[in-house]
Amino acid sequence: MRAVLPGKPQAKLQAVSTAQWHGRCIVVYISGTALVVLAGPDQLLQTIYHDEDERLDAVALDEVSGKIAASSGRKVFVYRPYGEDEGALKWSLQCSLAVDDGHDTPLSLSWGASEELLAAGSSLTLLSTAQTESELWSRKLANPAKFARFSHDATLVASTGQYDRLVKLWRRLSFGSDDVRFDFTYLPHPTAVTNMHWRRPHHREQTMDNILYTTCADNVLRIWAPMDPHGLQILQLWAQVDLQESIKPRLSALAEPSLKRYVFIIDGRDFTAATECAVQRANPRDATDDHALDHLVEVARRSPEVCVVLDEQGRMSAWGLENVGCRARKTTNIFNIAHVEGVRLHLKPDATPHEDYVQFQNFCGDSAGSNFTVLAHHFDGRIEWLEGGMDELFDPSPRRQRLRSKGVWSGHAGSIKKIDRTASGNALVSRTTINESVLWKQKPLGTGTTLVRQSEIHEPAHIRKMCVLDEGNLVVVLHEESIALWDTRADTAIRTVSRTYSLKGRALCLISLPSATANPSVAHIATISSEMKGITWEVALPSRAPHQGINGVDSSAQLREFCTFDLGERDDLAFVLPVDPAGSVPFISGFVDTFARDVAISCSHSGVLHSWTAKVDPQGSTVHWLLTSSVETAIEKPSRASGSSIRKTALVDEQGTGLTIWDTRGAQLEFDRRFTAQDVIQDLDWTSTPDDQSILAVGSPHRVLLLSQLRYDYLNAGPAWAVIREIRIRDLTPHPIGDSIWLDSGNFVVGAGNQLFVYDKHVDITDHLVTDLSLPSHEGASNDIFDVVARLNGPLPVFHPQFLSHCVLRGRLPLAQKILVALHKSLKFLSEGDKLDSFLGLPVDLFYRDDAELSNSARKGMGSFYSDFLDDGDSGDVVTESLAAALNEKLTKTAVPRLSGAEQIHLADIVECCATVERHRRSMDENASCYLLFFRQHILRKAQQGVGQVMISWREISWAYHSNSQDMLIDLVSRQFQGRMLWEHARETGMFMWIKDAPALRAQFEIIARNQYTRTDEKNPIDCTLFYLALRKKSVLTGLWRMASWNREQRSTQKLLANDFRESRWKTAALKNAYVLLGKHRFEYAAAFFLLADCLKDAVNVCINQLDDLQLAIAVARVYGGDDGPVLREMLQERVLPQAARDGNRWLATWAFWMLSRRDLAVRALISPVHTLLESPESPGMQAKSFLADDPALVMFYQQLREKSLQTLRGASRISPRAEWDFIMHNARLYDRMGCDLLALHLVRNWEFLVQPPEREKSLEQAAPDPRKMLRRRSSLVVADLPTSPRLPDMKSGSTKPPPSVFEEPDANSLLNSFGF
């Protein structure tokens, strides 16, 4: 925590108490109905709230027991400390006592010996709090007490009443608990007594005379001491100091007269401790020239008490009191220590008489290096912590600053319910439940930032919304039927303008509209009602010139109605909210378009989000509004929402526990999480790094989670958001959080109860929340939140494994190999602490050059055939096995900058996989290379992380399905499992989804059947029954059962299998057995008996519904019924495609459409939403809205498929140019979010759109235009697969297989036509 504003201290004489307890300097003060306990300027120990509505009157802290006593009316509450040994010091309520003296006078409290407590009101009451709480003694007073203080040894009590000139001195005669007696005398004063102070010893056991200091309204300090122990008076007047005469300006004629005097006593124990600390801090080399320290040491030799007198001009006079209480006082016993200037008290210039008072407490810690501390309790609602060295304070030479302000404790008297900030984040206004509003500004404090109160707004009427303008100089307040402008440049805000307004509906928000310039002279604010009607007001900002009015305030700030507007009807509207400003200060220049930053969001009860931007037109006196995005979230009745100006929106469900984060520009769901009922979400706040990386604060009653956006990770399906910091306030206050907000510096302000907590932007990178993210190392990186978020986002170095993987998926394997070769060369000479260039010294144009040009340059000179004979892996631009071994050896020994440990392991996997692909490059095509690369990564990662049987994604299955090197892939995949591939391995590889050749499919399925049978030593035929029956090899299965003599089911099974299942009665018997097995939950065996009964559809349903194995169902259907079988087609249409639509899985959809021979739809499914291509539209689920439903690899796949055949070209031609444009730009943004900016640049620079035929040609041609003419560069391998009939078969008609595809050799005329000849 950087700073704390614990709450507004009450303006009461006993609202603050300090004590030195067990080596700690503890301060406790009253704020509203709470006790605030602190151990430093920004070290809050605890906040203790009272259930009673009455405010507290007095507080006292016992230096011996550490107990805290507080009074409220006639009640006294006693709190005892606990948890000190565990390092978590807290206080809990010990007891509450009622003092019944028949009056409502506030009590004054003072601790005595043996945990006795004195409570003074209309009577003096002595209470015991040690073991059992009891009243020991009570005496009525003639005048209710204003002060009542125990001396240090608890033998004397000094009390005085309001406006009383007599101090009643009580002497305790007996200390027995059964018989407590006091007698008393009077200490007369000429005027009313204003304060009193007992001298404190160095330690509690020290025996010393009781000395009483009193001050009166005549500005005289009187010192009372026991000079005559045999006299009638207990204490006698020893000396007095005239406070008015003690301060005289050095230039009397020119100095401004000062009438106010403030005085406090520095006890000998604190003066001695502060002097010792000053001597310890002194530099021995400069000790001979340190006149201030010499002067302090000279004073300390006389062991004085010190009387410090101050005035409002910053002048100070310090007087030493030597041998106080001695019988023969000398004139030298009171001597001047210093008469200096520069002790500023930061008094409020326009304070009311009730606020114009300052009370001082002082102490010095026992630990080495402690400074002398002065607490100045200003009755205008603040406590200032002032620190400095005693040598600096009493230095006779001029000094600019003698005491440094370490913090100001202030805040509110009521509970904070709302915080609003300026667009720049430099100022904020906090508002309480009692309409108490305070404007705060940031102030640098040491290495951090704190908040300083600038102005207080007194507005009794109900406030709907507030808006802070002009860096906190103006505040606009919106009421039910009026709007007011407040000038907040003075300590007390002034209402300059108030206007009434009329609006249809209820005003929902108050929005600050972006200006057209960076330094505007006017500001515009708007409100929008529940009927989507709005009013815009124009605010004339005050001039920046020095003000000449009262308190520096002029009346140049004006407010007028600018225009009204209508955003259309929204019957289902839930709320309209201004967006949180993120990034740079918003201003709009030029035209208003969808690229402008948002200013507001609206949400309907059905969960439809709308984003709005606006531009003010001063000449036309209007505001242009534009709907920038619309997102259907399917979240019914959202309870809370928050948007940022850079197109991020957080939405909370009706229960308040489900949080979703949406990218409104791409209508993508990026985060979906459900919290517990105890963590109901009640606040959302956005900010961003300087490079527009978003950060979201999610507030619940007692904690705040800070979420950072992450790079998209499509390869590992990684999250797009993660928690990087957790802020808990339960240890500081039991009050729930009212509101929170970001400052522009990255600091975070939390308002809870009447307190404000300012948390700095430091992130603990050793916290498990950050370590789980594998934060990459970075040269010279700091741990502030902006730097941490920037390292989790932003452009990746070209040697990052994600960049390399997407190079391969983009079809740029030669570039990936060039990068790895360059990395190997760079790591050869890299030593610890060296920086590594993000581009590895490669030219930038290499990353966005055309693929063909790069491929040609990569293969010039020595080919990969000779690369095995080169030394140390220096093989040109390809990654050979020798180079891969050398590079991986380096990676195991060298920490690569900007990579985490997990990323470095992933990089080593990619190196090994690239070497494997290069070895087989000449025997496989590009699609097979992609599959092999990511299959190898999958296997390596599974071995490293111990992941269970997770299948490879449909992306890799699609690559392999469209490969012409499937024989090679089958061989390599089989070898991965040492020829012992089981069905779980086959499902993991997706093999039976991508094998196209029917004989090869059956051959591999038989291998699986054989391996399933031999997987155990007992060789159970049940394990392979489903597979052999799918192959229609009942005879083989019968032979296997013949050898299973150990199986108790052998005889019955053999007898059953011996029958002819073409007969209906045996089919019925097989069905009966299948249903019995279903009842016994032997699902795989039941599916086998369904096949025995020739019920393929039932067997497939069992695989899907009971076994939850879609791949097994498809494999059985393909093997048993063929790719053209009606069961497979029905399953694809009724099961697979709807599932792809619900999940938004484009890879699954394009595979299914291709299996159905609908290649045109297979291409369209890569761009168009899947549910729009189905005859029976399927509502997309939440997963379909996720960012993971997109994948930049779809671009390369679409480019490849659309040029594959005439039917795919026909499908691509049905995609509108605008849709294709949006598809490319959307994927470019995905690359950017992934940190692969160079790939985004390559995509937009080299993408070729289809050539659309002219409109005149479309109208003249009766038939559809030749799709081949749409390619800019004709491919000679376009398969002519269009059916002879002009109408394509219906997807659901179960039509027969189209004729085999053939290659169409282009003739010369068509070739010339394609070039325009």
Side-chain angles (χ1 to χ4, degrees), residues 738-777:
D739 199 7
S740 57
I741 207 161
W742 289 97
L743 299 177
D744 67 328
S745 57
N747 293 337
F748 189 66
V749 180
V750 177
N754 60 343
Q755 301 173 324
L756 288 169
F757 304 97
V758 184
Y759 289 88
D760 59 20
K761 56 185 178 180
H762 175 76
V763 175
D764 183 10
I765 60 174
T766 62
D767 189 89
H768 71 93
L769 295 173
V770 181
T771 55
D772 291 346
L773 298 176
S774 300
L775 187 68
S777 59

Side-chain angles (χ1 to χ4, degrees), residues 208-463:
M208 62 187 305
D209 292 336
N210 290 315
I211 305 296
L212 178 65
Y213 302 92
T214 61
T215 54
C216 292
D218 60 355
N219 275 342
V220 174
L221 171 72
R222 291 174 174 82
I223 307 168
W224 306 86
M227 294 183 296
D228 184 7
H230 303 290
L232 295 177
Q233 298 291 331
I234 303 172
L235 298 179
Q236 293 84 32
L237 182 65
W238 182 74
Q240 59 185 21
V241 178
D242 191 334
L243 305 180
Q244 191 68 35
E245 295 298 323
S246 62
I247 294 181
K248 290 294 183 181
R250 295 180 179 178
L251 300 175
S252 302
L254 300 178
E256 185 178 346
S258 62
L259 302 177
K260 299 177 183 178
R261 292 293 183 269
Y262 307 95
V263 61
F264 62 91
I265 302 297
I266 304 176
D267 292 309
R269 67 172 191 178
D270 294 318
F271 180 75
T272 302
T275 303
E276 291 175 354
C277 291
V279 172
Q280 292 172 3
R281 284 195 307 270
N283 190 344
R285 298 180 181 178
D286 301 333
T288 56
D289 300 328
D290 196 342
H291 301 292
L293 187 62
D294 294 341
H295 173 68
L296 181 64
V297 171
E298 187 68 25
V299 172
R301 285 174 181 161
R302 303 177 69 171
S303 303
E305 318 285 325
V306 180
C307 170
V308 179
V309 186
L310 303 160
D311 69 359
E312 72 273 20
Q313 305 297 327
R315 293 185 282 263
M316 182 190 75
S317 177
W319 299 86
L321 310 176
E322 185 182 11
N323 296 326
V324 178
C326 62
R327 305 294 183 271
R329 184 175 70 85
K330 302 178 183 178
T331 57
T332 56
N333 288 140
I334 300 177
F335 60 96
N336 184 260
I337 297 176
H339 193 292
V340 297
E341 298 180 355
V343 184
R344 298 295 177 186
L345 297 181
H346 305 107
L347 300 176
K348 187 177 180 180
D350 56 346
T352 62
H354 179 72
E355 298 174 339
D356 191 15
Y357 185 74
V358 184
Q359 209 174 36
F360 293 93
Q361 309 262 2
N362 66 89
F363 54 85
C364 183
D366 299 332
S367 59
S370 299
N371 280 324
F372 177 66
T373 301
V374 176
L375 290 181
H377 175 202
H378 300 262
F379 274 37
D380 60 358
R382 56 197 167 97
I383 299 174
E384 188 171 14
W385 181 295
L386 300 166
E387 243 182 45
M390 191 66 77
D391 53 339
E392 299 172 346
L393 181 63
F394 294 150
D395 186 2
S397 59
R399 277 181 178 268
R400 187 175 180 180
Q401 191 178 31
R402 298 179 181 273
L403 291 174
R404 294 172 295 278
S405 177
K406 291 296 184 180
V408 177
W409 297 335
S410 184
H412 289 276
S415 297
I416 297 170
K417 69 175 182 179
K418 183 62 179 172
I419 305 176
D420 298 286
R421 55 166 263 187
T422 59
S424 62
N426 291 322
L428 58 89
V429 60
S430 53
R431 179 160 39 107
T432 67
T433 54
I434 57 175
N435 272 5
E436 175 195 18
S437 302
V438 178
L439 189 132
W440 310 85
K441 278 198 171 181
Q442 286 193 89
K443 178 185 177 183
L445 184 66
T447 59
T449 301
T450 188
L451 293 176
V452 176
R453 184 174 64 178
Q454 174 173 301
S455 183
E456 191 166 344
I457 302 173
H458 300 284
E459 175 57 86
H462 173 66
I463 298 174

Side-chain angles (χ1 to χ4, degrees), residues 860-1126:
K860 287 182 180 179
M862 188 177 298
S864 62
F865 177 80
Y866 298 98
S867 58
D868 295 334
F869 300 98
L870 297 178
D871 296 332
D872 197 24
D874 293 332
S875 54
D877 292 333
V878 294
V879 179
T880 61
E881 292 184 333
S882 59
L883 185 141
L887 179 55
N888 279 349
E889 185 181 357
K890 272 287 184 184
L891 291 175
T892 57
K893 299 178 181 178
T894 307
V896 181
R898 303 187 63 181
L899 291 184
S900 65
E903 291 167 347
Q904 199 158 326
I905 294 173
H906 190 187
L907 177 60
D909 294 345
I910 290 179
V911 173
E912 183 178 341
C913 294
C914 283
T916 305
V917 170
E918 176 62 26
R919 188 176 70 219
H920 301 287
R921 183 182 59 82
R922 293 189 178 276
S923 56
M924 63 174 60
D925 57 11
E926 192 175 82
N927 290 347
S929 299
C930 286
Y931 176 86
L932 183 61
L933 179 67
F934 291 101
F935 172 70
R936 287 283 300 159
Q937 286 188 37
H938 170 79
I939 294 299
L940 290 171
R941 198 169 307 167
K942 188 180 75 168
Q944 293 163 359
Q945 301 176 0
V947 182
Q949 299 296 330
V950 179
M951 65 169 285
I952 205 164
S953 74
W954 284 97
R955 177 183 56 234
E956 283 73 47
I957 292 174
S958 298
W959 288 115
Y961 181 73
H962 290 279
S963 170
N964 294 322
S965 310
Q966 290 191 351
D967 292 340
M968 185 69 184
L969 282 182
I970 293 171
D971 180 58
L972 292 174
V973 169
S974 300
R975 272 193 274 170
Q976 177 64 42
F977 300 102
Q978 293 83 39
R980 302 289 301 170
M981 182 183 290
L982 303 174
W983 170 250
E984 60 192 34
H985 302 141
R987 181 176 56 231
E988 184 181 351
T989 64
M991 173 183 289
F992 292 96
M993 305 299 102
W994 50 259
I995 296 179
K996 291 186 291 188
D997 184 57
L1001 184 75
R1002 294 180 61 85
Q1004 289 301 315
F1005 206 73
E1006 188 167 1
I1007 293 174
I1008 297 294
R1010 205 161 42 240
N1011 293 336
Q1012 288 288 124
Y1013 174 69
T1014 59
R1015 65 184 303 177
T1016 60
D1017 293 336
E1018 62 184 10
K1019 296 181 180 180
N1020 194 344
I1022 295 176
D1023 296 336
C1024 63
T1025 300
L1026 176 62
F1027 299 93
Y1028 276 116
L1029 291 180
L1031 290 164
R1032 300 178 185 268
K1033 294 190 176 184
K1034 190 185 70 169
S1035 58
V1036 176
L1037 185 62
T1038 303
L1040 297 179
W1041 273 107
R1042 193 177 299 119
M1043 293 183 289
S1045 57
W1046 54 270
N1047 196 316
R1048 64 180 182 179
E1049 298 178 2
Q1050 181 194 30
R1051 177 173 297 182
S1052 58
T1053 305
Q1054 277 187 293
K1055 184 178 179 181
L1056 181 64
L1057 290 178
N1059 299 298
D1060 185 1
F1061 286 90
R1062 289 175 294 183
E1063 299 179 12
S1064 59
R1065 71 188 191 96
W1066 296 116
K1067 285 185 179 181
T1068 304
L1071 287 174
K1072 289 180 179 179
N1073 280 277
Y1075 287 119
V1076 170
L1077 291 169
L1078 281 177
K1080 295 181 178 180
H1081 290 196
R1082 298 174 67 181
F1083 299 125
E1084 184 178 318
Y1085 206 29
F1089 273 86
F1090 278 123
L1091 290 181
L1092 195 61
D1094 197 23
C1095 294
L1096 174 60
K1097 184 176 180 180
D1098 293 329
V1100 165
N1101 288 336
V1102 170
C1103 293
I1104 295 176
N1105 298 328
Q1106 276 72 34
L1107 293 175
D1108 193 22
D1109 194 339
L1110 178 63
Q1111 284 201 38
L1112 181 60
I1114 295 173
V1116 169
R1118 293 186 69 188
V1119 173
Y1120 190 89
D1123 287 354
D1124 298 324

Side-chain angles (χ1 to χ4, degrees), residues 1128-1164:
L1128 177 62
R1129 294 183 63 85
E1130 182 182 355
M1131 178 170 51
L1132 293 175
Q1133 294 171 357
E1134 302 295 336
R1135 296 277 191 158
V1136 177
L1137 286 174
Q1139 178 182 334
R1142 287 192 299 271
D1143 299 343
N1145 193 334
R1146 300 175 186 272
W1147 297 103
L1148 177 58
T1150 189
W1151 173 87
F1153 278 128
W1154 201 279
M1155 289 288 293
L1156 289 168
S1157 300
R1158 291 304 304 269
R1159 301 182 178 185
D1160 54 338
L1161 295 180
V1163 174
R1164 293 172 60 189

Side-chain angles (χ1 to χ4, degrees), residues 20 257 443 798 812 926 1030 1087 1099:
Q20 300 273 351
K443 178 185 177 183
V798 297
R812 311 197 67 195
E926 192 175 82

